[in-house]
Amino acid sequence: MTTATLNPAVAGDAEARLGLRANVRHIGALARRNLLQIKKDPESMFDALLMPIIFTLLFTFVFGGAMFGKGNQQEYVNYLIPGLMAMMGMNIAMAVGTGVNEDFKKGVMDRFRSMPISRSSVLIGKIVVEIGRMMVAVAILLTMGFILGFEVKTSVPELLAAIGLALVFGAALMWIFILLGLSLNSPQAVQGMAMLVLMPLQFGSSIFAPTSSMPGWLEGFTKYNPLSNLADAARLLTQGDMPSNLVQHSLGTSVLWTLLWAFAITAVTAPLAIRKFRSKT
Amino acid sequence: MTRTNHYPDKPAGGGNAVEVRGLVKHYGETKALDGVDLDVKEGTVLGVLGPNGAGKTTLVRCLSTLLVPDAGSAFVAGYDVVKQPRAIRRTIGLTGQYASVDEKLSGFENLYMIGRLLDLSRKDARRRADELLERFSLTEAAKKAAMEYSGGMRRRLDLAASMIGHPAVLYLDEPTTGLDPRTRNEVWDEVQRMVREERVTVLLTTQYMEEAEQLAGELTVIDRGRVVAGGKVDELKAKVGGRTLQIRPVATADLHPMAGAIAEAGLDGVSGARVDEATGRVLVPILSDEQLSGVVSVLGARGFTIAGIDTKLPSLDEVFLAITGQKMSDSVPEQADEKKLEEVAA
């Protein structure tokens, strides 16, 4: 063939692995695809937009008084908002599972997998966009929180650290949901299974209420529930100090546990998900 | 126009673009591919013909690195499908039975995305997308979401998507299944044009005889994971048996007397002359050219005036029936069956 070879990736060995730059470009193109999908189907953003509003209102006004005493709403808002930060990550991450599952029902995945791109870039492109959706959800959550009187008693860098921690943990959770999305047959099954994982973790945690009133076995469970660890870390990062009956660990321990969980979840589920993705027919 | 060459060390020509030897893929007890051999010569179109569940889609999936075969070997453009999957992916284009584009994205957005994934610069990706939209008559629908496209437009978009990287080898897996006859013709025209203008080698699977006849120079007939026949389309038809001699008399009144005269003549091996009133012809199955001359001289000797004579090769449906002893069915799309099998296997 006489035409000049302009593709640097192919110039040498056709079997050569892709360079980092090519991978980043592919992830960019695939992330753009996911963004365009959201643009075409704005309803798919409802979870990120509405959930933070509904949950802050619901919990503050329905449970706030009961838990912290009438008139102590302010105190509950300061307790709840960091907890909900942990929850947002989990709920948004869930959507990635159904998305991956739906993709496989269509021919477009065959096209991606028969193209000279790294197969994980399809998944990473999705994760990038989901992290963006999480940021939107957290921004709305904080806006709602500030309207209801949420205070950051520390400083901006610490607030950002709390947000960052929530995003890191949310990204780790996504691998679980991607694995579910690749393993189960229908988007409905993925949704159902995700709820099954989500509900006990969510309510068996310190997200909504302090754990000191729970029975001993449950309190023990919440202590090592990563959502509690993340909620506590976000509380201590934004509130500085908390009464010892409201948090279960010190700041350092909470952050450490959260990161350990995020690392462990990714280390176990990401390779499984990528392998499943590669071998899926 | 800058060309992205995904096929730098393409052989000088004349060789086989695809070489498959003893390819096996089993799903549990089901032998989707049970030792398939086939070659596609560079620059030609090979039709892989078979009924539902014959293994056509499994074959394409193995050749496009979506499935790893259990045994046997397959080379595409000289690359091993098992050992050099990345090189294969740089060489091929794939158009599946179900349009493999993102339905939510517009035609342009789909093609642009694929251009970027094939490492074109933003500018080149845009230009190539526009060029292909124009080429496949989709410019007007460029901004519409693919889900709003008609069946034919989707297949055209799918073909365009497969052509972005100038593939050396293109797989068309049942490209017209589920399309109405008019749209089918439209897709055939596009495929023919692509083969002519882009010098691309095509492996086409189909369960339509007519499609194979239209597009393919050579045919491989597969059934239950095995190759049951192969060769040039005409050779294959001739192999199955004779031709049918179609004789048109000047006067319709001569139809029955002519058929009677042929029967009475008792020519060696010629029997079963019958009249087709609808087309005004006498049809005579024959096996050799001698028989043809014999029939004609009998009619001449009896003083019949003939307006025209044609010989017709048997249709591919008849060919298939003769080779496999089984009728072709085209009611259920094949991939649906194979997908199910794959899920069971997984």
Side-chain angles (χ1 to χ4, degrees):
Chain A
M1 216 159 178
T2 50
T3 42
T5 296
L6 293 176
N7 183 350
V10 192
D13 180 8
E15 185 57 17
R17 284 183 172 276
L18 294 162
L20 181 65
R21 280 188 60 189
N23 269 319
V24 169
R25 184 170 45 236
H26 299 161
I27 291 167
L30 291 162
R32 187 169 174 275
R33 157 180 180 249
N34 292 312
L35 280 178
L36 284 167
Q37 284 179 336
I38 293 174
K39 200 178 137 199
K40 307 276 156 105
D41 183 15
E43 283 170 28
S44 66
M45 275 301 281
F46 277 8
D47 59 342
L49 298 174
L50 298 181
M51 208 164 44
I53 299 176
I54 291 166
F55 271 80
T56 42
L57 292 176
L58 190 73
F59 277 91
T60 307
F61 294 113
V62 177
F63 300 118
M67 271 184 268
F68 281 68
K70 209 169 155 77
N72 287 334
Q73 202 196 77
Q74 160 85 46
E75 216 180 308
Y76 184 61
V77 168
N78 282 343
Y79 180 84
L80 176 73
I81 299 297
L84 286 181
M85 269 165 72
M87 198 194 98
M88 287 306 125
M90 182 141 194
N91 278 277
I92 301 291
M94 208 175 102
V96 83
T98 46
V100 167
N101 190 279
E102 277 167 1
D103 264 354
F104 262 99
K105 303 267 172 240
K106 300 188 181 127
V108 69
M109 205 50 97
D110 280 352
R111 180 174 300 285
F112 290 148
R113 297 197 315 149
S114 67
M115 285 179 70
I117 58 175
S118 161
R119 294 191 172 184
S120 59
S121 56
V122 180
L123 297 179
I124 295 172
K126 259 204 153 53
I127 289 178
V128 168
V129 171
E130 291 299 316
I131 290 176
R133 271 163 33 86
M134 280 183 194
M135 287 160 105
V136 171
V138 170
I140 293 175
L141 174 70
L142 287 175
T143 311
M144 279 306 290
F146 290 133
I147 293 171
L148 295 171
F150 175 62
E151 302 162 296
V152 178
K153 293 176 182 160
T154 52
S155 60
V156 174
E158 275 150 315
L159 173 65
L160 291 179
I163 295 172
L165 203 59
L167 295 179
V168 166
F169 185 70
L173 283 177
M174 272 185 236
W175 289 109
I176 298 183
F177 293 113
I178 287 176
L179 188 59
L180 278 180
L182 292 171
S183 308
L184 299 173
N185 264 332
S186 69
Q188 288 76 17
V190 176
Q191 184 107 23
M193 189 58 117
M195 287 306 284
L196 225 58
V197 176
L198 198 126
M199 293 305 270
L201 274 181
Q202 207 159 286
F203 287 98
S205 77
S206 69
I207 290 182
F208 307 111
T211 56
S212 45
S213 64
M214 293 177 187
W217 59 269
L218 183 58
E219 200 186 349
F221 172 78
T222 59
K223 236 174 166 168
Y224 299 100
N225 179 341
L227 289 178
S228 298
N229 302 146
L230 175 57
D232 281 355
R235 278 174 194 133
L236 293 164
L237 278 168
T238 56
Q239 303 303 310
D241 212 16
M242 295 286 279
S244 63
N245 62 327
L246 296 185
V247 289
Q248 291 170 298
H249 300 284
S250 69
L251 173 60
T253 314
S254 302
V255 172
L256 187 69
W257 271 112
T258 308
L259 290 176
L260 272 177
W261 271 113
F263 177 78
I265 290 170
T266 311
V268 174
T269 53
L272 284 176
I274 290 174
R275 217 177 65 191
K276 189 106 197 158
F277 182 75
R278 283 215 180 101
S279 64
K280 200 162 163 79
T281 49
Chain B
M1 174 59 212
T2 48
R3 287 171 67 95
T4 307
N5 180 5
H6 286 283
Y7 197 13
D9 28 359
K10 181 173 170 174
N16 288 324
V18 180
E19 266 185 29
V20 177
R21 293 291 175 271
L23 206 64
V24 173
K25 180 77 192 176
H26 291 185
Y27 297 114
E29 291 294 295
T30 314
K31 297 167 176 175
L33 294 178
D34 197 20
V36 168
D37 297 329
L38 61 82
D39 292 326
V40 191
K41 285 192 200 77
E42 207 174 307
T44 67
V45 181
L46 175 78
V48 175
L49 184 75
N52 294 334
K56 303 189 297 289
T57 296
T58 305
L59 174 68
V60 169
R61 293 177 80 81
C62 284
L63 293 181
S64 45
T65 75
L66 296 177
L67 278 179
V68 179
D70 296 334
S73 69
F75 288 85
V76 179
Y79 300 123
D80 187 322
V81 290
V82 177
K83 295 193 188 113
Q84 297 169 290
R86 279 185 290 269
I88 298 278
R89 289 180 208 133
R90 289 186 173 116
T91 307
I92 60 164
L94 170 66
T95 291
Q97 187 176 344
Y98 298 111
S100 32
V101 293
D102 190 317
E103 297 183 324
K104 286 184 187 166
L105 267 56
S106 73
F108 175 85
E109 286 161 353
N110 265 297
L111 298 185
Y112 176 80
M113 170 181 72
I114 290 162
R116 290 291 286 160
L117 291 177
L118 289 173
D119 300 321
L120 296 182
S121 69
R122 284 192 180 80
K123 200 175 129 207
D124 286 341
R126 214 170 292 132
R127 198 185 305 166
R128 183 83 176 129
D130 285 335
E131 183 183 287
L132 284 165
L133 285 166
E134 168 102 48
R135 162 97 157 56
F136 286 88
S137 320
L138 290 167
T139 304
E140 271 176 44
K143 289 198 173 120
K144 265 204 234 166
M147 54 171 40
E148 293 169 40
Y149 281 22
S150 68
M153 285 161 77
R154 267 197 222 198
R155 300 294 167 107
R156 293 208 308 266
L157 180 61
D158 209 19
L159 286 176
S162 303
M163 294 308 292
I164 287 183
H166 299 280
V169 178
L170 180 64
Y171 305 129
L172 301 176
D173 189 19
E174 305 205 14
T176 64
T177 296
L179 295 184
D180 60 74
R182 198 180 59 86
T183 317
R184 186 175 296 171
N185 278 319
E186 222 174 85
V187 173
W188 287 347
D189 287 347
E190 285 301 342
V191 172
Q192 280 164 339
R193 203 154 65 111
M194 244 155 52
V195 172
R196 208 169 49 231
E197 291 172 9
E198 310 267 346
R199 303 186 320 139
V200 62
T201 304
V202 177
L203 187 146
L204 163 94
T205 77
T206 183
Q207 37 181 324
Y208 302 118
M209 299 298 184
E210 203 192 343
E211 183 158 83
E213 271 185 295
Q214 278 282 330
L215 300 178
E218 294 205 18
L219 269 185
T220 291
V221 184
I222 67 171
D223 190 34
R224 285 167 223 171
R226 296 186 143 272
V227 173
V228 291
K232 293 222 160 62
V233 174
D234 292 344
E235 280 171 12
L236 209 62
K237 285 195 285 188
K239 213 191 249 178
V240 169
R243 296 160 287 176
T244 304
L245 192 56
Q246 303 177 317
I247 309 159
R248 190 156 52 86
V250 173
T252 330
D254 281 346
L255 276 172
H256 287 281
M258 270 167 85
I262 295 165
E264 278 162 31
L267 290 164
D268 192 23
V270 178
S271 63
R274 60 195 170 87
V275 172
D276 184 0
E277 306 258 11
T279 58
R281 288 167 213 251
V282 177
L283 306 180
V284 191
I286 54 164
L287 291 166
S288 67
D289 292 341
E290 288 72 34
Q291 292 172 349
L292 195 160
S293 318
V295 169
V296 173
S297 54
V298 166
L299 294 177
R302 296 287 195 93
F304 289 109
T305 329
I306 298 167
I309 295 185
D310 273 321
T311 59
K312 188 180 150 281
L313 289 165
S315 78
L316 283 171
D317 283 294
E318 291 159 340
V319 172
F320 194 86
L321 184 62
I323 295 169
T324 66
Q326 183 192 331
K327 250 189 136 42
M328 300 261 306
S329 64
D330 52 6
S331 49
V332 197
E334 182 196 40
Q335 197 174 359
D337 295 348
E338 292 194 9
K339 273 266 181 193
K340 255 183 244 148
L341 286 175
E342 284 161 15
E343 268 163 28
V344 170

